[in-house]
Amino acid sequence: MADYMHSLTSLHEAGRVQSLEVWEESCLVGGLFGLSLGKVFVMESAFHRVPDAAKAAIADLAERAARVGLQALDAQVRSDYTVSMGASPMSRKTYLELLADDGTPQRIPSGEQAVARLVERAIE
């Protein structure tokens, strides 16, 4: 476990591993973390303490990732949950092309933003 934590910390410092958090007032209620490589953000883990908080984190990630040119969020596993969030299959060839890395990590924009902006865009 110590090696894993050291690796994640090193990757975070290099700008490769990032997290998104969902807060309700002063309580952390959901979030996710993952690794950016090429034009892909690979979601490693998500959690929620209130219903749909992880979904809010994924929707927020998608919006922020698009701003910096990331083209795919990799959920790693096809499930009813990931399909409900918009997951669709991709060819191996396309995936490998998106993974091609020029060495510059794509940092997800940080900063607090209201979840309501995601709902407003969804109804437009």
Side-chain angles (χ1 to χ4, degrees):
M1 182 59 118
D3 288 344
Y4 179 68
M5 294 303 292
H6 176 73
S7 296
L8 286 177
T9 300
S10 296
L11 288 166
H12 174 71
E13 290 168 354
R16 296 286 182 183
V17 169
Q18 292 181 264
S19 65
L20 281 92
E21 302 167 348
V22 178
W23 291 79
E24 188 171 4
E25 297 179 14
S26 62
C27 184
L28 179 63
V29 296
L32 61 84
F33 81 94
L35 169 77
S36 64
L37 186 61
K39 302 271 187 233
V40 179
F41 189 91
V42 181
M43 295 182 287
E44 289 295 322
S45 184
F47 76 97
H48 67 275
R49 292 186 174 142
V50 299
D52 299 327
K55 289 179 182 178
I58 293 168
D60 188 22
L61 170 64
E63 192 271 333
R64 291 174 190 242
R67 282 194 258 156
V68 295
L70 291 170
Q71 297 177 15
L73 304 180
D74 182 356
Q76 299 184 40
V77 176
R78 184 181 188 278
S79 68
D80 291 342
Y81 178 80
T82 59
V83 170
S84 77
M85 292 296 297
S88 61
M90 177 183 293
S91 73
R92 175 175 165 70
K93 180 181 182 285
T94 300
Y95 186 71
L96 292 175
E97 288 170 357
L98 290 174
L99 280 178
D101 188 14
D102 69 1
T104 306
Q106 298 296 324
R107 290 188 181 265
I108 304 298
S110 62
E112 290 182 24
Q113 295 187 352
V115 172
R117 81 184 197 291
L118 303 170
V119 176
E120 292 163 3
R121 285 198 183 108
I123 11 184
E124 291 177 349

